[in-house]
């Protein structure tokens, strides 16, 4: 196992997830219920499942599309979504 990739992935995902809407939703669920274990298991299971799908899809698509193009596409998508959110923020 490549521990450098493991720790880098962990750090980047951990930092990216801090304060995002998924964490806030988990926070709200935990505040509403006394079953914190169920909230933790549900939240962790969802994150694991989405991560599994991302790894499987990324592994498949990288066989067809060069990684450089995947990075460019992902970066472009983030920029487009950011501009979209700024322009159409719903404050009408």
């Amino acid at each position: 196992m490549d521990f450098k990739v493991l720790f880098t992935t962990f750090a980047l995902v951990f930092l990216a997830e801090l304060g995002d809407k998924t964490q806030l939703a988990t926070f709200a669920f935990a505040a509403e219920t006394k079953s914190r274990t169920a909230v933790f298991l549900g939240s962790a299971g969802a994150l694991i499942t989405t991560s599994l799908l991302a790894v499987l899809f990324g592994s498949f698509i990288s066989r067809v599309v060069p990684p450089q193009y995947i990075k460019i596409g992902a970066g472009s998508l983030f920029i487009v979504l950011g501009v979209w959110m700024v322009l159409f923020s719903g404050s009408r």
Side-chain angles (χ1 to χ4, degrees), residues 19-80:
D20 78 339
K21 60 187 170 201
T22 304
Q23 187 182 31
L24 296 175
T26 303
F27 177 84
F29 281 125
E32 289 179 357
T33 184
K34 293 183 185 204
S35 182
R36 292 183 184 108
T37 302
V39 172
F40 171 75
L41 292 175
S43 176
L47 184 56
I48 288 169
T49 303
T50 57
S51 296
L52 174 66
L53 291 173
V55 168
L56 293 175
F57 184 70
S59 175
F60 170 76
I61 202 76
S62 69
R63 295 180 190 157
V64 180
V65 179
Q68 179 75 12
Y69 293 146
I70 295 172
K71 289 179 184 178
I72 291 170
S76 300
L77 183 59
F78 273 112
I79 291 170
V80 168

